[in-house]
Amino acid sequence: MKFTQPRTSALLLSTAALWAGLPSAQAAPATQDEPSMQSYAVDIEAKLTTDRRTNGLSDTYRRPGAELTLSAAHESGWIGYVQLGTVARENFPGGDRWTAVAATGYRWGQADGWHFGVGLAQEMFPNARVEAPRHYFVDPTDTVKTRFDTSFAVLEFGYGIIEARYMQVLSRDFRGNNTPVVCGSALQVGALDGDVSEALNCYERGDHHSRGSQLLQVETRLPVTDTLQALIHVGYTRVKNFGFLNTWDYRLGLIHQRWGYSFQADVVGGVMNNDYYGQVTNTEGTRARRMDRPALVLSVSRKF
């Protein structure tokens, strides 16, 4: 039986990029002889990266990944967002190795002043699921089926180039974080070194889910030159009923524009309350990797 290491990441979830980069639509000018028409803006971006991370933690088992993002904004303030991305089966067992995030919401305010947004988001992991014992040491046959799909309520607020996002989990579990999955993951890691005490302590806490988990992210892009920006991102994930999974994450990097492409280099990582749970075993169960380990992540993207 395969368990997965619970991931404390908004996101977003590619969710970290939920609102970032959405264009501000401008009204089309009307002539005297033509009726006024509402306008909209649509962006499509393709991205390749050496490690696809969500809130500091790797979704691709610290391997390369890819994303395709579609964002749209109407002059009325309504916005839409869809992102497809690769993930690893080590992180999301049984899945099709890809994820999708869909969001819609409403924004208002001034780009160079205070601005706000509210919305809903849904993160999906097609066919990814785990069936794990509710308490392995009591009755290993009493199993629970868990999916990793997650629903969020989102609040955006910021001033000028400073952006902040608050997200609250509405679904029963945040990326599958419940007792069977979290403790089952600890049991897998413990089996590698012959010490399952961490898993036993986890199960003894009782049966819990993670609805009500909260995420807060603050980010800014500072202009250095006409073609260079410095990125600063800090986030915090609070996993309801699983305080040992609470994680600070960071992303510090440079973004360079050249030939119509964006070249980016970031130092990315996470600091989990108990980094034992930052480990994920491979599909064979023969070794574990730290998903929160700091890394230099390189990426290239292009908008169409």
Side-chain angles (χ1 to χ4, degrees):
M1 182 175 297
K2 175 67 179 175
F3 305 108
T4 184
Q5 167 59 36
R7 298 294 316 287
T8 55
S9 81
L11 259 211
L12 217 246
L13 154 201
S14 307
T15 309
L18 183 61
W19 307 105
L22 287 178
S24 298
Q26 300 295 326
T31 68
Q32 188 175 10
D33 298 326
E34 295 178 352
S36 176
M37 297 182 63
Q38 292 183 319
S39 65
Y40 60 91
V42 176
D43 275 343
I44 300 175
E45 182 181 61
K47 183 176 183 179
L48 298 175
T49 181
T50 58
D51 186 357
R52 188 169 181 269
R53 296 216 172 192
T54 302
N55 297 336
L57 307 179
S58 179
D59 277 346
T60 52
Y61 208 61
R62 288 175 29 207
R63 302 190 191 106
E67 294 176 0
L68 180 65
T69 304
L70 170 67
S71 56
H74 191 267
E75 66 172 356
S76 63
W78 288 101
I79 57 176
Y81 176 94
V82 176
Q83 183 180 80
L84 305 178
T86 58
V87 296
R89 278 189 175 164
E90 288 85 350
N91 301 84
F92 304 98
D96 295 337
R97 295 191 177 93
W98 65 278
T99 180
V101 177
T104 186
Y106 182 79
R107 302 179 76 187
W108 69 95
Q110 303 297 321
D112 56 353
W114 284 105
H115 45 271
F116 304 90
V118 293
L120 296 172
Q122 177 69 39
E123 187 175 30
M124 297 159 283
F125 300 90
N127 292 321
R129 60 176 60 88
V130 169
E131 184 172 358
R134 192 183 309 274
H135 193 312
Y136 182 84
F137 296 100
V138 173
D139 184 1
T141 65
D142 179 20
T143 60
V144 176
K145 295 180 180 180
T146 301
R147 298 183 66 92
F148 300 92
D149 301 352
T150 307
S151 302
F152 300 90
V154 185
L155 170 66
E156 178 196 44
F157 53 98
Y159 186 86
I161 62 173
I162 300 176
E163 301 285 347
R165 298 168 200 91
Y166 168 80
M167 287 166 278
Q168 182 156 1
V169 174
L170 304 177
S171 50
R172 186 180 68 168
D173 295 315
F174 166 48
R175 282 192 155 200
N177 286 344
N178 57 33
T179 295
V181 174
V182 172
C183 303
S185 175
L187 181 62
Q188 275 197 322
V189 174
L192 292 176
D193 56 21
D195 181 5
V196 297
S197 58
E198 186 68 43
L200 181 60
N201 292 336
C202 181
Y203 282 117
E204 290 303 314
R205 298 174 61 256
D207 191 16
H208 298 287
H209 294 275
S210 54
R211 175 184 283 130
S213 296
Q214 302 173 75
L215 305 95
L216 179 64
Q217 304 158 356
V218 181
E219 181 175 298
T220 187
R221 298 189 181 198
L222 302 172
V224 179
T225 68
D226 290 342
T227 60
L228 184 66
Q229 292 179 312
L231 172 68
I232 303 173
H233 168 98
V234 178
Y236 182 69
T237 302
R238 179 181 179 273
V239 185
K240 184 73 175 291
N241 296 320
F242 298 92
F244 48 88
L245 298 181
N246 294 352
T247 303
W248 287 96
D249 69 271
Y250 56 88
R251 180 182 290 264
L252 306 172
L254 294 173
I255 307 170
H256 179 60
Q257 307 288 337
R258 178 71 64 178
W259 309 306
Y261 293 87
S262 291
F263 299 91
Q264 188 164 340
D266 301 315
V267 176
V268 188
V271 181
M272 193 176 290
N273 276 4
N274 186 346
D275 59 13
Y276 187 89
Y277 292 87
Q279 301 178 86
V280 177
T281 60
N282 61 6
T283 53
E284 296 79 19
T286 56
R287 63 180 177 129
R289 277 186 173 182
R290 289 270 304 276
M291 298 298 101
D292 58 340
R293 182 177 175 180
L296 175 63
V297 176
L298 306 177
S299 63
V300 57
S301 62
R302 182 179 177 87
K303 288 186 177 182
F304 301 93

